[in-house]
Amino acid sequence: MIGVDVGSGDRLALGVLTQYRMATTEQMHRVIAPSVRIEQTRRRLARLRTEGLIDRITLPQAGRTRVGFPTPYGVQLCGCR
């Protein structure tokens, strides 16, 4: 977790995504940081993706909605099985 800030909500975001298994950026924003701008949530998720802790897919049947999910490494690091 080189670029992940342990003191911030990065661990919280990873834990929430691991627990729910899959979520949109908007859903994650509502759960982890509804009082800040959504751009901060987007940056947080992008940082986790860069570190290989989460990934995302596009759901073609849901209007091309993107959803994030934890990678096996992210689940292992979180300790939330």
Side-chain angles (χ1 to χ4, degrees), residues 3-73:
V4 177
D5 183 3
V6 177
S8 74
D10 291 350
R11 281 197 182 266
L12 173 63
L14 180 59
V16 167
L17 197 54
T18 300
Q19 184 175 11
Y20 287 107
R21 300 188 186 196
M22 174 178 292
T24 65
T25 300
E26 292 78 15
Q27 290 169 331
M28 289 294 293
H29 178 68
R30 288 182 189 156
V31 172
I32 65 172
S35 62
V36 300
R37 295 176 45 151
I38 195 166
E39 288 79 18
Q40 290 178 321
T41 302
R42 286 189 183 113
R43 283 193 300 270
R44 180 178 314 265
L45 295 175
R47 189 169 47 247
L48 292 172
R49 189 166 179 243
T50 299
E51 292 294 326
L53 301 173
I54 68 171
D55 205 352
R56 69 178 181 205
I57 58 170
T58 302
L59 302 174
Q61 299 297 325
R64 303 201 44 82
T65 301
R66 288 185 189 169
V67 293
F69 60 93
T71 63
Y73 175 58

